[in-house]
Amino acid sequence: MLFLRAPRWPWTSQQVVTRQIRIRQHRQPRLNLNQGRLQQCSSCARPSETTPPKPPAADHRDLGLHQELFTTSIYSPGSPIFLPNGARIFNRLVQFLRKQYVRYGFQEVITPTIYKKALWAKSGHLENYADDMYTVTSSSPSRAADSRETGEENEYGLKPMNCPGHCLIFASQTRSYRDLPIRYADFSPLHRNEISGALSGLTRVRRFHQDDGHIFCRPVQIEDEIRKTLDFIRVTYGVLRLGPYRLALSTRPAENYMGSLEDWDQAESSLKRALDACGQEWTVNEGDGAFYGPKIDVVLSDSEGKEHQTATIQLDFQLPRRFELEYQTPAPEAEQRGEKTTDPDQLAISGLARPVLIHRAVLGSVERLMALLIEDYNGKWPFWLNPRQGIILTVNDTEPVLKWARDTQNVLLGIPTGNAADGEAADGLTSSPTGLAVDVDFSARSLPLKVREAKTKGYGMIIVIGPKNVAKESVTVDATGVPAVDDKPVPKSVEMTPEELVHFMQSKVNAYA
């Protein structure tokens, strides 16, 4: 039987810490007879003599419940269900990466979720990764009979990774050395059959999303592509305020690996040179490489000090060979060795060379990285990631105040209303959403009570609307919930128009503050 992890009380994290401190102090023994002398109780000791108990580490499972980010179900163990707030964070992380893809030359593709068993045999996953894969077959007798008649294979596999699909894309066209490097990116969901005892929140799951990328390059381009990928990771983790992180080179496994020792030695040497050039310290994990090639792993620690592998760069000579990937090039023999030549006789010869495949993920599992961010930020999200960027609070429930609050929310969200009825877009107008997350509280409760609740929930900006604001067509903004950047003071009470507030909020988002 499967059991859900029992949720804790829905207190704020500060209340949880305070209560646990009190419980521990209450249970602390007053006597220590093992040392043969009377000890002072904690309540009688002088302040300088007491050591405050260490607050418990933040747990993303509890914080995710309190912040309404995700939930789980016994009907799909290991498959997190993102709630609206969690989906906002997930989508913003993906949108950030998509913007970086333009800078680093990646093209996004969309690939199938299931492939025939024959593809996994071709890629080597069936031989080396079958225990971690899900098999998909039809349970319909009529479908089985139809497959026997047509000779079509009836057994499929849910994809645990995107590389075979990207190899199919590369092989679908004739390629030239001038086309390389070709960089594909894919956010398709992946499935891996983790054992049930290992499942934990967002860190160990069966269904997840990876910012999966594959670079098909010439041998001479390997080190430059790895250098650019390490820079991609540095920039991204700097924006997310993650780190410090460590780099580890994982080398050839002792058994169950594909390819020759020569291929592995060449690949490991390329990664070592790239790591040396990056100027950051790195270590070696002997025998911890993937079955198809060595890799560079980025390792982060969570709030409890437990390490998690996030980003990865893997060098692969095997899949291009298995999928018979090739490109046209002059001097093919020198090209395959990764050598540049100016010899006119060699350049006069045109032929085929095999590309090298670099697997890369910057965030790694988006779910796992979100778990680390949830614990690291502990409710104090940077404004651009905050799922609760703003909330409109009404001073009273009179119709003019409520109408101005609705109109203001529409302006902040980018919803054109014109003279349309409440909640409906004006005819002929196309919505141009701002991407901001702004809620509204129309309740008839007192304003101080609503402000306290908004701050407890972690809203970045509290927007107050009263009769004076209606008359001036303005709003009053408290932005103290937005983390300060470069020690610049954050305005506590500023009056502005809704249009000015949109620009102010978007400037914070675009600055990744």
Side-chain angles (χ1 to χ4, degrees), residues 62 67 180 183 225 271 326 328 336 355 442:
D62 298 327
Q67 297 175 31
L180 274 57
R183 308 178 187 96
E225 289 302 309
L271 292 183
E326 295 173 324
Q328 289 281 348
Q336 199 66 71
F442 290 126

Side-chain angles (χ1 to χ4, degrees), residues 105-107 109 162-172 175-185 213-219 221-222 225 315-316 319-321 323-327 354-360:
F106 282 88
Q107 303 174 82
V109 296
N162 288 306
C163 34
H166 292 185
C167 286
L168 296 178
I169 297 175
F170 185 94
S172 65
R175 308 290 182 176
S176 165
Y177 74 99
R178 295 186 181 91
D179 301 326
L180 274 57
I182 294 175
R183 308 178 187 96
Y184 294 133
H214 292 94
I215 304 168
F216 298 88
C217 66
R218 301 164 60 191
Q221 297 170 330
I222 291 175
E225 289 302 309
L315 198 53
D316 186 353
L319 279 185
R321 182 176 291 116
F323 281 86
E324 301 176 344
L325 305 182
E326 295 173 324
Y327 61 93
R354 199 173 305 285
V356 177
L357 175 58
I358 300 175
H359 309 250
R360 74 102 190 99

Side-chain angles (χ1 to χ4, degrees), residues 61 147 194 199 229 243 251 291 319 397 406 474 482 511:
R61 292 166 294 186
S147 296
E194 296 276 0
L199 301 178
T229 304
T251 59
F291 66 86
L319 279 185
D397 59 354
R406 286 190 292 267
S474 68
V482 179

